[in-house]
Amino acid sequence: SRAGIASAGVGLAAFGVLSLWLFGKFLGPQFWKYLAAFGVLFALLGSFLVFLCRDFLTESYRTTGGVWGDGQFRMAYTQMALRQWETSPVWGTGARTFGLYAREFTTRDEDWNGAQEVDPDIAHNDYAQLLGDYGAVGFALGMLLLLAHLGNGLRFLAWYRNVRFERTGDLFSNSLALALGAVSAVCAYVAHTAIDFNLHIPANALMMAAVFGLLANPGFEADGRRHLRIPGLKTALTLAAALGAGWTLWLGWRAAPAELAYQQGVTRTHVADYLGALTPHRRAAELDPAHQPNRMAFGTAYVGLAGEEEIPALATSWREKAIEQFRAAVALNPRDA
């Protein structure tokens, strides 16, 4: 994707700048010789990759209106998220609620993505959606997380360059390699997150959690420095993290049976087994009466039954049951488009 290419460029640029800064000192007079050799190598490799991908890229950009062909709807989504934030500036409106508010904040057809036939679900800008969903408090905590880890990684690189290398002369350090790669990866995601929704994808979020873990403890060695220590803070933060994790797991455990039944019903509806879908949807409604997506899916299963029914009176009965579930869904979430 274009966003992927742009973020890869930012990540590679960060890797290149940091490598020049590190190895300019490590290699001394030989640095320029290595720089020229690797510059030629990367130029050849880059040219070869562009040659391989030229047809795909040309067709992709042609069908999407050019490099920034869909920039208008992305900007519109960002503006919707900012208006969502204005409705609840401190705490936000709640996790993944952007899609419930977006419709209220635009009436122009040109603001919608032509590839979508429904209202937007994600803002395509994680910074704006973080602000809208979690407010100023959540946004500040997110930025603190980012800057603390990125700052610690850069501090480690500076320490390795100015202290560790002077002491050992070691160029082949796993800690250095991991820290350099992790900082570059964060830079790539900092760019990509501004124009897409990568961290709403669980696999990407878990990978970045691992990257942040590397940056939290990149491999500093004792060097006699004094560090700021607040008595009891580490224990308090550890306890708070454990309580938060336990609370999240408890909520997930409570929600899991109804969610499982809901997914079983959806799966049966997808293969047109509408009658078979009713039992799991009914069980999900009993376990969690406030599960709004289940009410929507429950009604959809009844609609499917009505469409297949040949007896008019029975078809009408299925439709009435569908209406009952849809009304319950609307009552649970009036903002649902």
Side-chain angles (χ1 to χ4, degrees):
S1 70
R2 290 153 297 173
I5 292 172
S7 62
V10 172
L12 288 171
F15 179 82
V17 170
L18 290 171
S19 297
L20 291 174
W21 177 67
L22 287 167
F23 287 91
K25 179 170 183 175
F26 293 167
L27 297 176
Q30 299 185 38
F31 168 72
W32 297 107
K33 180 175 67 176
Y34 281 97
L35 178 63
F38 279 101
V40 171
L41 177 63
F42 278 108
L44 291 173
L45 178 60
S47 300
F48 180 63
L49 290 175
V50 170
F51 174 77
L52 287 179
C53 301
R54 69 191 189 284
D55 292 337
F56 167 76
L57 293 174
T58 300
E59 179 64 17
S60 175
Y61 291 174
R62 184 187 65 79
T63 56
T64 54
V67 176
W68 301 113
D70 55 5
Q72 180 171 322
F73 91 82
R74 291 177 185 268
M75 287 300 300
Y77 285 9
T78 298
Q79 292 168 5
M80 293 175 203
L82 295 177
R83 293 191 64 185
Q84 172 198 356
W85 170 59
E86 291 172 357
T87 66
S88 181
V90 178
W91 299 106
T93 58
R96 288 296 291 270
T97 51
F98 167 79
L100 305 180
Y101 283 80
R103 168 178 284 227
E104 298 181 23
F105 300 136
T106 185
T107 57
R108 303 187 309 168
D109 291 340
E110 61 267 26
D111 285 343
W112 303 107
N113 178 7
Q116 295 178 338
E117 297 179 356
V118 296
D119 295 318
D121 182 46
I122 300 177
H124 288 71
N125 180 332
D126 276 350
Y127 299 108
Q129 186 152 354
L130 180 65
L131 189 61
D133 286 357
Y134 298 102
V137 173
F139 184 82
L141 289 173
M143 292 303 99
L144 177 63
L145 173 76
L146 171 64
L147 295 176
H149 287 80
L150 187 58
N152 202 49
L154 292 171
R155 190 165 64 91
F156 172 79
L157 295 179
W159 170 82
Y160 197 99
R161 179 181 186 271
N162 299 321
V163 178
R164 170 68 187 274
F165 178 72
E166 293 289 346
R167 184 188 304 156
T168 65
D170 183 15
L171 293 177
F172 302 100
S173 165
N174 287 337
S175 296
L176 177 63
L178 290 170
L180 179 58
V183 169
S184 302
V186 170
C187 290
Y189 265 78
V190 164
H192 207 165
T193 296
I195 49 180
D196 227 323
F197 53 92
N198 279 279
L199 296 184
H200 282 87
I201 301 172
N204 292 1
L206 287 172
M207 184 183 73
M208 291 310 295
V211 169
F212 280 148
L214 292 173
L215 294 178
N217 184 14
F220 284 108
E221 297 174 3
D223 54 8
R225 295 175 299 164
R226 295 179 63 85
H227 299 280
L228 174 66
R229 294 190 181 277
I230 301 176
L233 178 62
K234 183 176 181 180
T235 301
L237 290 175
T238 302
L239 181 61
L243 290 174
W247 180 61
T248 303
L249 289 171
W250 168 243
L251 291 178
W253 178 261
R254 289 182 58 192
E259 182 67 19
L260 176 61
Y262 159 66
Q263 295 292 349
Q264 289 172 337
V266 169
T267 300
R268 293 185 180 183
T269 297
H270 282 171
V271 295
D273 180 13
Y274 303 117
L275 188 61
L278 296 182
T279 299
H281 282 312
R282 187 175 295 110
R283 174 170 168 75
E286 293 170 353
L287 291 169
D288 185 1
H291 195 310
Q292 191 260 1
N294 179 65
R295 297 286 186 175
M296 292 289 295
F298 203 173
T300 301
Y302 278 125
V303 170
L305 280 173
E308 292 181 340
E309 185 56 60
E310 297 180 357
I311 303 174
L314 195 52
T316 299
S317 174
W318 293 133
R319 291 191 186 96
E320 289 173 350
K321 291 180 181 296
I323 290 171
E324 179 183 344
Q325 294 300 323
F326 290 146
R327 283 177 173 164
V330 172
L332 287 168
N333 191 352
R335 294 180 182 274
D336 191 302

